[in-house]
Amino acid sequence: NMHLKSYGERAKQQTNPAAIQLLQTMERKKTNLCVSVDTPKSEDFLAIIDAVGPYSCLIKTHVDILEDFDYSVIERLEELSKKHDFLIFEDRKFADIGNTVTLQYAGGVHKIAKWSHITNAHPVPGPSVVQGLASVGLPLRRGLLLLAEMSTKGTLANGAYTEAAVQMARQNRDFVIGFIAQRRMDGVGAPPGVDSDDEDFLIITPGVGLEQKGDKMGQQYRTPQQVIVESGCDVIIVGRGIYGDNPKAVDLITSRAERYMKEGWSAYLDRISG
Ligand code: BMP
C-alpha cells in the first residue's frame, strides 16, 4: 500500500517532474504542510510566504485575489520559492474547454504555467480540459491535480463524479499527479485489471484546521491526524488556521505554521509506522 511508504520512496516511483520534486522536498524538509495564502495585498502575501516558507513543502496561491497584482509579485514569489525550498501551486481550478484553458494557463495577466509547478482543474468539462492544460504544462515539466472531491458542505463532487475524475487521471498519468480530495483515491472506480497498489496518486487536502470545525460559508475542517492517518491523504492545506484574521501578525503566523508542520509530520510518521 502506497500510503504506507515514505514520501522519499514514492518519489522514486513517480514519473512527473513536479510530483518527484514535491515528494523529495517533503522528505528533505520533513514537512507535508501546504500553506494557502489568500490575502488581497501583495505586501502581506509576500511577508506571510517569507514567514511560513521554511515550514512548507508547497505554497498555494490564488493570484487573482491580489488587488495590486503586477508581475513583479511573481518574481518575488519565485525568489522566496528558491530561498525557502518550496514548490508553488496556483489554485486556479480551470474548468473550461481545452482551447480556453490553454489560453488561460499560458497567458493573460498571470501567465500561470510560467511559474506555478502545480495547478488544478475541475474534471467537469471531460478529458479535453486535461488535454488542453497538458499541451502547455508538460513541456514546462508541470503537474496537474484534478478536483475529485471538495471540503464544502453539499459538494456535488462525490460518487460517480469522483470515480470518473479518478478514471480521467488514470488516462493522463504523465500530467495528472493526483487529486484535491478528502481521502486516498488509489483504486477508486478502477476497471478490472488496474492494480490499486500500483497507483500512487498524490492527495492534497484542503479543509484542515485545529481550532475551528468550519466557517460561516460551508467550509468544513478536519485535523491533520484525521486527514493524514485516518484518510491517507499526503499534504495538508492550511489557510486561515495559520494566517488567521491578522496578516500582519508575522510571529504568530510563524508559530502556527511550525505547529501545523509538526502535527502533519507526526501524523505521517504514525501512518508509515503502520
Ligand atoms: P482555509 O484553510 O482558510 O479554509 O482555506 C482553504 C483553501 O483551500 C482556500 O484557498 C480554498 O480556495 C481551497 N479549497 C478548499 O478550501 N476546499 C476545496 O475543496 C478546494 C479548495 O481548493
Side-chain angles (χ1 to χ4, degrees):
N1 263 344
M2 284 302 166
H3 72 289
L4 298 174
K5 295 205 169 158
S6 73
Y7 296 132
E9 283 173 85
R10 288 169 58 192
K12 292 179 194 146
Q13 285 162 0
Q14 295 283 337
T15 53
N16 177 281
I20 295 169
Q21 211 185 329
L22 179 60
L23 285 162
Q24 288 176 341
T25 304
M26 293 163 77
E27 182 78 40
R28 186 168 57 243
K29 289 180 75 177
K30 302 202 183 321
T31 176
N32 52 21
L33 173 64
C34 168
V35 181
S36 168
V37 189
D38 301 338
T39 167
K41 299 239 186 299
S42 54
E43 190 192 326
D44 296 338
F45 173 79
L46 292 165
I48 292 170
I49 294 170
D50 199 16
V52 303
Y55 311 99
S56 309
C57 58
L58 187 65
I59 294 290
K60 187 175 86 59
T61 60
H62 282 298
V63 281
D64 59 351
I65 287 178
L66 294 170
E67 59 192 25
D68 53 0
F69 180 87
D70 72 62
Y71 203 79
S72 67
V73 176
I74 299 300
E75 286 156 9
R76 297 286 313 281
L77 174 62
E78 289 188 300
E79 282 165 26
L80 292 172
S81 152
K82 291 198 185 81
K83 174 179 171 192
H84 295 302
D85 186 23
F86 59 75
L87 277 74
I88 306 168
F89 164 25
E90 165 59 23
D91 184 3
R92 175 62 179 75
K93 297 188 177 69
F94 292 102
D96 213 321
I97 63 167
N99 184 61
T100 300
V101 298
T102 302
L103 297 166
Q104 291 172 321
Y105 187 27
V109 175
H110 298 122
K111 309 187 196 332
I112 294 164
K114 254 181 88 172
W115 50 270
S116 186
H117 304 91
I118 294 169
T119 191
N120 57 356
H122 284 296
V124 67
S128 52
V129 70
V130 179
Q131 277 159 31
L133 293 168
S135 74
V136 174
L138 269 180
L140 295 169
R141 306 168 67 77
R142 304 305 185 206
L144 184 72
L145 300 166
L146 287 176
L147 283 112
E149 293 179 331
M150 291 193 72
S151 61
T152 37
K153 269 180 207 144
T155 174
L156 304 182
N158 51 35
Y161 182 91
T162 300
E163 291 184 12
V166 182
Q167 192 52 20
M168 200 185 289
R170 280 188 190 106
Q171 284 152 7
N172 297 277
R173 244 3 273 272
D174 51 348
F175 189 49
V176 181
I177 62 175
F179 302 99
I180 298 297
Q182 297 294 315
R183 60 190 163 102
R184 269 216 99 62
M185 290 287 146
D186 301 341
V188 168
V194 171
D195 180 355
S196 62
D197 277 353
D198 284 349
E199 296 194 286
D200 187 14
F201 294 116
L202 288 173
I203 306 297
I204 316 293
T205 304
V208 179
L210 287 161
E211 310 290 349
Q212 311 282 336
K213 288 253 179 288
D215 66 9
K216 291 180 182 145
M217 297 187 188
Q219 176 67 298
Q220 306 177 106
Y221 292 121
R222 294 185 299 155
T223 64
Q225 188 75 22
Q226 288 173 307
V227 166
I228 299 284
V229 182
E230 292 169 30
S231 303
C233 305
D234 297 313
V235 175
I236 54 171
I237 298 177
V238 185
R240 288 165 289 175
I242 287 178
Y243 64 80
D245 48 18
N246 182 5
K248 307 274 185 209
V250 172
D251 290 346
L252 189 55
I253 292 169
T254 303
S255 70
R256 289 196 189 119
E258 193 174 3
R259 179 176 176 211
Y260 277 97
M261 178 187 82
K262 283 186 180 151
E263 295 269 349
W265 196 257
S266 78
Y268 159 74
L269 292 179
D270 282 359
R271 177 174 102 193
I272 59 171
S273 70

